[in-house]
Amino acid sequence: MIYKYVFGQPIETQAVVMEVPKSEHELSVMKVEVQEDAIRLSCQMGDEDVVFGLGEQVRGMNKRGFSYISNATDDPRHTENKHSLYGAHNFLILNRAEKTKDESGNRTFGIFVDDPGTVIFDVGETRMEDLVITAGADCVIYVIEGESLKDIVKQFRKLIGRSYIAPKWAFGYQQSRWSYMTEDEVREVVDGHRKNGIPLDAVYLDIDYMERYKDFTVNQETFPNFKEFTSEMKEQSIHLVPIIDAGVKIEEGYPVYEEGIRENYFCKDEDGEDFVAAVWPGKVHFPDVLNSKARAWFGEKYRFLMEQGIDGFWNDMNEPAIFYSEKNLKKVLEELEGMKGKNLDLNAFFHMTDLVAKLSNNPLDYQSFYHDMDGVRIRHDRVHNLYGFNMTRAASEAFDQIEPEKRTLLFSRSSYIGMHRYGGIWTGDNNAWWGQLLLSIQQMPALNMCGILYTGSDIGGFGSDTTEDLLMRWLEFAMFTPLMRNHAAMGTRHQEVYQFEHMDVFRNLIRMRYGLLPYIYSEYMKAVLNDEMYFRPLAFDYPEDEQAYRVEDQLLVGESIMIAPVYTQNAKGRYVYLPEDMLMVRMKSLEERVCEVVERGHYYMDMALDEVVIFVRKNYMLPLAVLDEDVRSTSDVNEDQLEWIGYTEDVAEYVLYNDDGTSRKYTPESEWEKIRLTKEEFDF
Amino acid sequence: MIYKYVFGQPIETQAVVMEVPKSEHELSVMKVEVQEDAIRLSCQMGDEDVVFGLGEQVRGMNKRGFSYISNATDDPRHTENKHSLYGAHNFLILNRAEKTKDESGNRTFGIFVDDPGTVIFDVGETRMEDLVITAGADCVIYVIEGESLKDIVKQFRKLIGRSYIAPKWAFGYQQSRWSYMTEDEVREVVDGHRKNGIPLDAVYLDIDYMERYKDFTVNQETFPNFKEFTSEMKEQSIHLVPIIDAGVKIEEGYPVYEEGIRENYFCKDEDGEDFVAAVWPGKVHFPDVLNSKARAWFGEKYRFLMEQGIDGFWNDMNEPAIFYSEKNLKKVLEELEGMKGKNLDLNAFFHMTDLVAKLSNNPLDYQSFYHDMDGVRIRHDRVHNLYGFNMTRAASEAFDQIEPEKRTLLFSRSSYIGMHRYGGIWTGDNNAWWGQLLLSIQQMPALNMCGILYTGSDIGGFGSDTTEDLLMRWLEFAMFTPLMRNHAAMGTRHQEVYQFEHMDVFRNLIRMRYGLLPYIYSEYMKAVLNDEMYFRPLAFDYPEDEQAYRVEDQLLVGESIMIAPVYTQNAKGRYVYLPEDMLMVRMKSLEERVCEVVERGHYYMDMALDEVVIFVRKNYMLPLAVLDEDVRSTSDVNEDQLEWIGYTEDVAEYVLYNDDGTSRKYTPESEWEKIRLTKEEFDF
């Protein structure tokens, strides 16, 4: 059951697609205080209550013990003290333990705060037992009650609409770096994979493919024959995926800039002038993607690249990130000038370093420009979290015109609930830290709750140097994420897998992904079409099992399997909790598998650096594609030749979804393939 | 057996106290390459080989998979990618697994690289199987072989001399903050503990007790009657522990500055002028503590505070940290001036932010000043890692004169092996992150290997806001660290335990420490006097147990117990490996204990937020003091009233060390108390 509460005069965010009447009763699951500038919601949490959700944030699956602030921020250090990352995903579920329910009649509920400005979720940071949500005075709040965690999520997902569907090739392995600078460098990357028998479906073009970081341009010196190059790559089954940034360079003669100026499509400052911020190219204007005309105009620009054969994009810097604003930089440089010749003690010196550090993503800058929301002038900070959403929506709505039949790959860095209908996200500029691998594991189900299904983290870590073992362990997890992309920053160690010594291990790992493709794709599509979660914490499937609520480092992936990735360096194994009897499938490669039934319970299990262990649930099945030795890409995977792994004492069943992977015609449920195997038909 | 190898013309670091003749044979455990500017040592590591050591560094107990650079650095973000923290601890042990030994005749060995400049330990970062050590061309290398990990450490510890002994009061609970600004604020902190029945032995004075950050001054406005205040505190059993910084403020009329100038006791720049760096007070000179006269002079300055009743110090900023050098700041401000009015694209902008960020701790600054090592002029970077060591030695050698009979508390931020004879360390400016609690657990045994026994981390985390649960879990570990200090940075949430709601839990936890005091002190003293480790990884005591080498989050503490702290948020338990049958002692408070014998094996164990679980080894014993309800400090602990916890099927034994805790007369081994209890004499 969904209850809708409206406070003040909310801005229409388009997060929700379903008509819900206003609730006739007062909001009861939390105490509501309407303050002058804010709505404050609060309730007490019992000892055993667990909070799930909030999407892209730091810390564990259980969000208790910290404050999370929805305020899309370009911050490349995802340490535990960060309150905001790139997205704003204002949905959580407070799961009441039996004990709490009994004591006070409190109920389990989900809550979605539809407010595109800053929202604070203090989940027991200030007081361990208090959940306090502070939203703006104008917002819509949805409270969702249901039979189970899964049911609440499903209702929420129906409310916010069906998730984006990526083309099947985007479920292959993808390689990125900031940046492959030339056509030849891209060719080298492709060859590095091809000649070593490592499947690969896509190579990414980071900011340097552009001419002076101008959106919708291609550097003619380094990519002189882009259209030909794109088709050369396609012949090798490689999709090129260029980046698009939010800021449009200010440069006379650059058509995108000139059109934007002419048509008044850029965000304005206090004085009605086009707002000047600086990002990669230096000074830019931000297209006002909250304005429907500007959005249509900006989306249409993607055509330039699509006409050259591009069928995938990643939208970046769309929090929007600001290196500095013209005005603030001027002020800071003037203040710094006054420091010359002075004795700077700690206060003066920290003030100085702060001035410079706070040039970027400065709240004052976000308060100093405006949108024209189809006639209504709105200061940016009030709708800050909608920017990335609407940049991505711009692209998606244009694709509906440009390529109405075909799926186009699209994902974004910044997002707000609702954007999941238009594209996926990647989890931004993480680091080559073991802790970030764990974070990625923990973020996945929280993102899925919000409908963000096409997602994954930068494998190996974006910032700082990766190590060979970290890359292996990361791949062992990421082979299950829909977006499986290796990406690294300028200046870091090269981390294409062929750069390392144990190529055989990497080849085996990436081939496993291609073997898993029929399952991953089937489960992804079913999750989309049924409004379900592809990744789930154990508690979602084993709600009666108290231990399941404690497990922070295992996931259910689709309906059939559980994974327990290794995420600590030098580990040769890890502890695993089995909430029921399962079939342990230990793989050194797709073909080299050892299966064993393991009973419910706690175990320490060996997991060597080159091993992947999958747990198949009783009476469920895992299809694996039989791969040719020379499989190069998703298109080489023969989906008709499947092996079935499973364990049952009776009958196991599986519903296999498949389709052509490129058109927008999805297989109707009536045509989904139902497989049913008896105990005797399995090796296990 | 210790083998000594001398390369080039090494600088005498005083790390080693034992005469060792040069080895007559070539170094054989690693391949040696003598290069023009460096010595390169390398060997292969087998799959199961483990590397222990390197003291204060990031990552796990097993150091494999990363590069560690000995280059003392003031860096307050101890993330996994940091190659250098505050100390330089160039000792490691490569433990060869049986498999490796068999295959190639490789042996387990310890290696100490006595080189006070930059030394790089690539422990399988570049190539997973390669250990590569790169030292300067002039260095002494000691290779130590022995019967066991423990034996190698013991030999090494004899080589480097007996560890510093802290006064017993310094094993009490201590409270710090940057800064308690006034006498009254200190009184409030003491009262906060006293009125809530929370024992406390010391309060720290961070930089603001000084007059304009000048060493050996007291701010007369905020601490107007310092001597009286010190004795007022002593009457409440509170020791005040002021900070001393490395840099001496440049200020006419400030006697320490003027003496230093007059006597030529400061480090010089290229031109022979006193080198100007800036730290807290702005511009300072660095006392040349590598010069014996300057060292004696600087040490003697501590007398000013000791005469006012101070008996403990912490030496800070002695890497030495440099906010900026006068010359570099001038250059940077000039360059910034030229940026005015320009369009800064990413390269220009990152260059700008880099210029400012790299003002601090800039390698070029460390190459631009000089020491007079008793007649020999040496550029700082060659001896960089000796600075903190010798600042602390300065103090310690002065204490021998000023208080020859008494122990004075002394610890340092920066250190080099050898400094452990003069004082302890704290592990610097950590953060209120759960990951930093784990790091602290993992650092302790590595520090102990290098003789650094009086040590601990900032409980609750120094930087960023702590949470109540993190502080509890941290105390549950830190109650075992010799230095048990809660410390937090300016601007963070107040984290004295009485600031939180569950005061009863904090009181119980801190009282447990006082109950453990007889054991902790006894084990600390025995570790010092026998050249042993107080904290040990499991592999040190269970070398035949393959699983023991994998355990990264449990420690043996002294001879009798093992701990398995909880270091993840919202955990209600954790997995524990018992390498043998042990007595599990579950404590809600010192008095509220439940004991149970648990067999060798892997377990998931409940550990509630308010519980401490200690594992007592079979045939060993744990003494616990019976505390009065109103125990306020270590001096209130009645050490004659002990309870004995243990588990044996026959007889358990314990050797109890004790002494007056303040004088430098230590109890000779012949007088150590031997306790022997039979099975029947235990409840367990």
Side-chain angles (χ1 to χ4, degrees), chain B residues 219-251:
Chain B
N219 186 321
Q220 291 306 306
E221 285 173 26
T222 51
F223 293 88
N225 305 297
F226 195 63
K227 192 171 182 176
E228 289 72 16
F229 184 58
T230 303
S231 51
E232 175 194 326
M233 287 293 116
K234 276 274 165 66
E235 277 159 30
Q236 297 201 51
S237 301
I238 296 292
H239 297 257
L240 293 178
V241 185
I243 199 167
I244 304 293
D245 286 313
V248 170
K249 185 172 198 295
I250 298 176
E251 186 180 287

Side-chain angles (χ1 to χ4, degrees), chain A residues 87 389 484 502 521:
Chain A
F389 170 1
M484 184 191 187
H502 300 87
Y521 186 70

Side-chain angles (χ1 to χ4, degrees), chain A residues 80 127 434 501 575 602, chain B residues 80 127 434 501 575 602:
Chain A
E80 288 177 36
R127 284 188 70 249
W434 290 83
E501 203 158 353
Y575 289 100
H602 295 283
Chain B
E80 287 177 37
R127 286 188 69 248
W434 291 82
E501 203 159 353
Y575 289 100
H602 295 284

Side-chain angles (χ1 to χ4, degrees), chain A residues 216 255-256 259 296-305 398 402:
Chain A
F216 314 115
V256 182
E259 279 171 42
W297 165 75
F298 191 77
E300 178 61 22
K301 295 291 144 204
Y302 286 75
R303 186 188 292 271
F304 166 76
L305 289 157
I402 303 167

Side-chain angles (χ1 to χ4, degrees), chain A residues 59 65 80 127 280 283 324 337 340 343-344 346 434-435 493 501 550 569 575 602 604 606, chain B residues 59 65 80 126-127 280 283 324 337 340 343-344 346 434-435 493 501 550 569 575 602 604 606:
Chain A
R59 305 215 175 197
E80 288 177 36
R127 284 188 70 249
W280 305 120
K283 291 176 196 167
Y324 59 89
E337 209 178 334
K340 279 173 67 180
N343 180 23
L344 306 180
L346 81 164
W434 290 83
R493 183 180 194 173
E501 203 158 353
R550 302 187 180 189
Q569 192 161 32
Y575 289 100
H602 295 283
Y604 178 88
D606 287 343
Chain B
R59 306 219 173 196
E80 287 177 37
T126 303
R127 286 188 69 248
W280 306 118
K283 292 176 196 169
Y324 60 89
E337 211 178 332
K340 278 174 67 181
N343 180 23
L344 306 181
L346 82 164
W434 291 82
R493 182 180 194 172
E501 203 159 353
R550 300 186 180 189
Q569 192 160 31
Y575 289 100
H602 295 284
Y604 178 87
D606 286 344

